[in-house]
Amino acid sequence: MATHEVTNQVPPLSGHDVADDPALLGWVDDAELHSLGRLAGSEEWQERGRLANTYPPVLRTHDRYGNRIDEVEFHPAWHELMNVAVSHGLHAYVDGGHLERAARFYVWSQVEAGHGCPISMTYAAVPALRVEPELAEVYEPLLTMRDYDFGLKAPLTKRGLIAGMSMTEKQGGSDVRANTTVARPVDDGYVLTGHKWFTSAPMSDVFLTLAQAPGGLTCFLVPRVLPDGTRNRFFLQRLKDKLGNKSNASAEIEYDEAFAHRVGEEGRGVRTIIEMVNMTRLDCVLGSAAGMRAGLRQAAHHAAHRKAFGKYLIDQPAMRNVLADLAVESEAATTTAMWLAQHRPRLGLAVTKYWVCKRGPVHAAEALECLGGNGYIEDSGMPRLFRESPLMSIWEGSGNVAALDVLRAMHKEPQTVQEFYETVSGVDPRIDKAINELALSDVDESQARRIVERMALILQGALLVKHGHPAVADAFLGSRLGGDWGVAFGTLPKTTDFASIIDRAVPKL
């Protein structure tokens, strides 16, 4: 005889359209996006996302006979996720299509974030390659092809290519000018020798990397396989055992006279690579915004179906404040991410990369807590979301690097400050007041985070007024800029229109 029956448990969150997101649909609302959204919300693809993380990639340095092969084995779910991403053009750089691509990336990365790394790098590689037109002519068509053709083969024999990135070294990290990898000119290119501490997606087909050429730090394109089908001298030493992002392989590698093509002039490596960095920073913002939306959706769904003390959680005043606060943060991140994808402003991107990515982990933690102990269990999916959340703030420059980049942009490109003011001024009296209190001249580096945080809040508030729901915009301005807010989530003022905000957050099944 059964000792108990299961009651008051929340049904699985599946069978919905992930693209049914009010903050997103104000920017993009087309059939392909909703088709992808329904896939993302299906039980079948959620299970593939789980499998790709439960069975992470494995490094095979040698075959059974002792031959060096440097292969990484992935669970089939990884390849299935990659195939959907590539076939929907999430990896493709197409002039004028950044916003549509951003919306699809935002939706699909909510299924599984790890495979977004090589997808993002492939998207970002093209503007860097365009510095070298002859290379771009050969590789750009393959990098934008909607065919996922996995396997180590000569690049120009494949139906489509995936690009990786190999920048940092153990002694330098973000200080890439401290790199010691050496590039020696040969007849038809260069050969590279050195160690790379973090190589993202090491089974990609080509990699952008930095090395010290005779003329200084230079950008290079390194193929994994040479035109004759032999392996390039590019050796995988180990895969990183990471906090999250488990489905995606990250490796330490050795170049031992690996062949490479120069991209851009010698000595201008950082300047050449900056376009790739800017694009991947955009995807960091998109990834953080997507993670917030995924966490909010789970929290709101749980609260709508779980009872405590005689009422559904979603009807409890304290929980309503938490959910609304999480929703306001999420919608601000999504609105700003879409605006960045459409306009790609230099200063706005740097400011937002710092702040939105910083907000990801605290948002994930609060969303997890909405599920109580159930959220702390792996089966809920919330621990994976939480472990993934710090990555976006670390990738492409952690907090201090991002904040100082804002100061550098303001100093070197003063017109970006004027563009920022034009975007945010005259939108709302509360924003104008915050602008008047913002001192951007002669900012001390010790105050970089403080200034950038304020700039980000001003930008988000202005964009919500222009493009968001009035209740969300009002709650954001009253709390984040008006000072009527605590330290933790769930401290919005009691005048907040909780009903309107929460209704936008609950997934429609």
Side-chain angles (χ1 to χ4, degrees):
M1 186 175 72
T3 59
H4 69 281
E5 60 177 310
V6 177
T7 62
N8 197 29
Q9 287 290 335
V10 177
L13 177 53
S14 60
H16 62 288
D17 180 359
V18 172
D20 186 14
D21 175 346
L24 172 68
L25 297 181
W27 298 89
V28 179
D29 188 359
D30 59 41
E32 184 172 1
L33 183 66
H34 286 286
S35 173
L36 192 63
R38 287 188 291 273
L39 282 183
S42 68
E43 182 179 0
E44 174 188 1
W45 285 98
Q46 290 173 10
E47 175 64 5
R48 285 185 170 96
R50 185 192 70 82
L51 288 171
N53 283 271
T54 302
Y55 303 99
V58 176
L59 174 61
R60 306 292 186 196
T61 56
H62 295 77
D63 67 13
R64 59 183 290 192
Y65 306 106
N67 299 306
R68 186 95 195 203
I69 57 172
D70 294 280
E71 299 269 12
V72 180
E73 292 181 358
F74 293 87
H75 189 276
W78 164 271
H79 297 299
E80 292 166 341
L81 290 160
M82 286 289 291
N83 187 57
V84 170
V86 171
S87 65
H88 281 79
L90 276 63
H91 70 303
Y93 181 96
V94 180
D95 289 321
H98 295 284
L99 179 59
E100 290 75 12
R101 179 261 170 194
R104 294 195 290 270
F105 184 87
Y106 168 87
V107 165
W108 188 243
S109 62
Q110 293 180 51
V111 177
E112 199 290 307
H115 79 292
C117 177
I119 293 298
S120 176
M121 291 185 297
T122 305
Y123 163 68
V126 171
L129 279 180
R130 286 180 173 177
V131 174
E132 203 68 48
E134 291 184 3
L135 277 180
E137 183 179 356
V138 173
Y139 285 98
E140 183 173 340
L142 290 167
L143 289 167
T144 57
M145 196 69 68
R146 291 193 180 192
D147 278 311
Y148 176 59
D149 187 4
F150 181 78
L152 294 182
K153 295 181 285 188
L156 301 188
T157 68
K158 301 188 76 174
R159 300 188 310 273
L161 300 178
I162 297 295
M165 184 165 57
S166 189
M167 302 294 172
T168 61
E169 298 183 2
K170 52 184 175 285
Q171 78 285 348
S174 295
D175 183 10
V176 294
R177 294 187 186 279
N179 283 6
T180 60
T181 297
V182 174
R184 178 172 60 85
V186 293
D187 289 343
D188 53 350
Y190 290 73
V191 289
L192 311 185
T193 301
H195 182 96
K196 292 296 180 180
W197 190 236
F198 266 99
T199 294
S200 301
M203 295 315 293
S204 299
D205 300 298
V206 293
F207 295 81
L208 285 175
T209 193
L210 293 172
Q212 300 287 354
L217 190 66
T218 304
C219 181
F220 294 92
L221 183 73
V222 181
R224 281 288 279 123
V225 179
L226 299 173
D228 63 2
T230 60
R231 305 288 179 87
N232 204 353
R233 295 189 61 78
F234 176 121
F235 303 115
L236 307 188
Q237 302 304 308
R238 64 169 174 166
L239 299 185
K240 299 289 193 178
D241 186 6
K242 298 170 290 185
L243 168 68
N245 201 245
K246 293 290 189 177
S247 70
N248 177 45
S250 301
E252 290 177 42
I253 68 161
E254 292 280 353
Y255 296 135
D256 183 8
E257 296 207 330
F259 177 79
H261 302 282
R262 178 172 52 80
V263 182
E265 299 175 20
E266 285 192 4
R268 295 173 67 85
V270 173
R271 188 176 184 88
T272 300
I273 211 69
I274 199 65
E275 276 301 312
M276 183 179 193
V277 170
N278 283 337
M279 290 298 185
T280 47
R281 283 180 174 176
L282 170 60
D283 280 3
C284 288
V285 176
L286 288 165
S288 291
M292 289 185 197
R293 180 65 189 181
L296 170 65
R297 184 187 303 107
Q298 290 285 356
H301 175 73
H302 181 88
H305 291 86
R306 178 81 165 179
K307 282 186 176 180
F309 309 109
K311 291 195 295 187
Y312 285 106
L313 289 174
I314 203 166
D315 296 324
Q316 304 276 8
M319 180 58 80
R320 289 176 69 77
N321 200 318
V322 171
L323 291 173
D325 216 351
L326 290 171
V328 167
E329 193 76 28
S330 172
E331 292 210 23
T334 300
T335 298
T336 308
M338 292 302 130
W339 179 80
L340 290 172
Q342 186 174 60
H343 297 282
R344 302 187 304 284
R346 169 71 174 90
L347 190 59
L349 181 56
V351 164
T352 307
K353 197 282 180 188
Y354 168 79
W355 181 242
V356 169
C357 297
K358 272 273 178 278
R359 298 298 290 165
V362 291
H363 192 280
E366 194 67 59
L368 182 154
E369 191 174 326
C370 289
L371 279 65
N374 290 329
Y376 202 67
I377 304 303
E378 287 291 340
D379 288 350
S380 72
M382 299 302 280
R384 172 155 59 98
L385 187 68
F386 179 70
R387 288 192 298 269
E388 193 74 27
S389 61
L391 175 60
M392 296 299 99
S393 191
I394 296 170
W395 191 23
E396 296 299 10
S398 54
N400 286 345
V401 172
L404 292 172
D405 185 50
V406 174
L407 269 58
R408 188 178 306 109
M410 291 192 296
H411 175 70
K412 291 188 173 181
E413 304 171 59
Q415 77 278 5
T416 61
V417 178
Q418 182 59 36
E419 292 167 359
F420 175 81
Y421 281 135
E422 290 173 358
T423 299
V424 300
S425 297
V427 174
D428 184 279
R430 290 166 291 187
I431 295 175
D432 290 337
K433 181 177 182 295
I435 293 170
N436 291 334
E437 295 169 351
L438 189 65
L440 294 185
S441 59
D442 194 28
V443 179
D444 185 280
E445 285 191 2
S446 69
Q447 300 301 299
R449 287 185 175 219
R450 185 183 184 94
I451 289 293
V452 174
E453 174 182 321
R454 200 65 177 166
M455 293 175 70
L457 293 173
I458 289 171
L459 178 60
Q460 286 186 309
L463 294 176
L464 282 174
V465 172
K466 291 180 178 180
H467 304 288
H469 189 279
V472 176
D474 187 66
F476 186 94
L477 294 179
S479 57
R480 276 70 168 170
L481 290 177
D484 195 357
W485 197 36
V487 175
F489 284 107
T491 54
L492 290 172
K494 61 183 179 181
T495 56
T496 300
D497 183 356
F498 294 107
S500 294
I501 297 171
I502 292 172
D503 182 64
R504 293 165 62 82
V506 178
K508 309 301 189 290
L509 299 180

